[in-house]
């Protein structure tokens, strides 16, 4: 017989876990060597994030063994937790160390067991090193953010390349390895308020030359730097109150997309991308217009 119960006292046979168990999260797509990689968050494994690969022959396989969780806590929100290069590099959630995985081998830590976090990786092929954002919790007070280079053959904390500001993101190396672009901002601004885009030459020894301010600052947010195959630096800026695309080359900034549309979104996490080069002459974009 039907019964009437007070609001909130009816027991549903559908549990929250029943719904969440089927909601596998997909993010951080990368392409490398004709293969597709992505991050898969699995509720049935306690929320573990696994790097998954689709090989050229169509086979899909996990790249991380059980017990490893590719998730970083830099800026707390994370993102940018892995990169595929001559090996797979990722942040392990449990200890926040950076690990390297080669095919058929167990993950190997390349950073020490200290109070540091790493994110937003970029592989420097010419110098065989890993560039990333480091959040250093080894001292009392607010953690220190820097951009560092990591030696994949060692187990060091990294050599500092850029420092002095409260936050950093998106270290992006030009195709020929001669220039490094990055984003930075400071308290009290959030990245969608006043993120600045900078670029500096990279010397042969890996150190940086004199940096140049490209865009962003008070009242303007520059996001998602992207190098073209020919070496032009593209980015999104909201200087018109819309995140449109711009190009920096020969020392000047050019407006590429004059639309009332958003070619970026608020940078809550690392590694967000809304544009990519399909070929040297074709840029593929995702944008939002009229909601």
């Amino acid at each position: 017989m039907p019964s009437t119960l007070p609001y909130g006292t009816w027991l549903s046979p559908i549990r929250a876990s029943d719904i969440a168990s089927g909601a596998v999260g997909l993010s951080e797509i990368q392409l490398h060597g004709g293969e597709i990689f992505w991050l898969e968050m699995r509720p049935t494994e306690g929320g573990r994030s696994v790097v998954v690969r689709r090989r050229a022959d169509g086979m899909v396989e996990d790249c991380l063994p059980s017990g490893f969780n590719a998730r970083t806590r830099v800026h707390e929100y994370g993102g940018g937790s892995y990169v595929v290069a001559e090996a797979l590099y990722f942040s392990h959630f449990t200890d926040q160390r950076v690990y390297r995985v080669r095919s058929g081998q167990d993950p190997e830590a390349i950073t020490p067991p200290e109070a540091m976090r790493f994110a937003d990786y970029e592989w420097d092929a010419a110098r065989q090193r890993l560039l990333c954002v480091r959040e250093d919790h080894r001292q009392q007070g607010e953690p220190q953010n820097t951009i560092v280079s990591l030696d994949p053959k060692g187990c060091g904390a990294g050599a500092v390349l850029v420092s002095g500001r409260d936050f950093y993101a998106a270290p992006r190396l030009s195709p020929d390895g001669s220039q490094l672009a990055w984003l930075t901002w400071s308290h009290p601004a959030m990245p969608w308020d006043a993120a600045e885009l900078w670029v500096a030459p990279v010397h042969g020894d890996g150190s940086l030359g004199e940096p140049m301010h490209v865009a962003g600052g008070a009242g303007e947010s520059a996001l998602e730097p992207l190098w073209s195959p020919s070496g032009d630096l593209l980015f999104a800026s909201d200087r018109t109150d819309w995140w449109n695309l711009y190009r920096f080359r020969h020392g000047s900034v050019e407006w590429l997309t004059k639309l009332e549309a958003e070619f970026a979104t608020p940078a809550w996490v690392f590694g967000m991308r809304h544009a990519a080069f399909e070929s040297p002459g074709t840029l593929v974009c995702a944008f939002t217009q009229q909601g």
Side-chain angles (χ1 to χ4, degrees), residues 134-177:
R134 185 184 74 187
E135 187 177 83
D136 192 340
H137 292 253
R138 290 177 294 180
Q139 303 295 327
Q140 293 293 324
E142 183 174 351
Q144 299 298 307
N145 267 236
T146 54
I147 294 176
V148 302
S149 66
L150 297 175
D151 180 0
K153 298 178 182 178
C155 196
V160 175
L161 299 177
V162 186
S163 64
R165 299 292 295 275
D166 292 336
F167 301 100
Y168 291 97
R172 300 291 179 257
L173 200 61
S174 62
D176 63 0

Side-chain angles (χ1 to χ4, degrees), residues 238 241-244 260-265 274 286-289:
D238 69 348
D241 289 333
W242 298 94
W243 269 308
N244 269 229
E260 291 187 351
E262 307 284 15
F263 286 80
T265 53
H274 290 78
F287 63 89
T288 302
Q289 193 170 36

Side-chain angles (χ1 to χ4, degrees), residues 224-226 234 245 263 272-278 283-286:
E224 301 189 22
L226 170 69
L234 277 67
L245 293 180
F263 286 80
M272 298 181 70
R273 302 172 188 262
H274 290 78
F277 279 91
E278 185 272 336
L283 181 69
V284 180
C285 306

Side-chain angles (χ1 to χ4, degrees), residues 81-83 85-90 98-100 110 121 123 130 152:
S81 56
Y82 82 98
V83 71
E86 41 78 55
L88 167 64
Y89 296 90
F90 71 97
V98 181
Y99 285 76
R100 177 180 58 198
I110 67 166
Y121 302 105
W123 178 248
L130 198 61

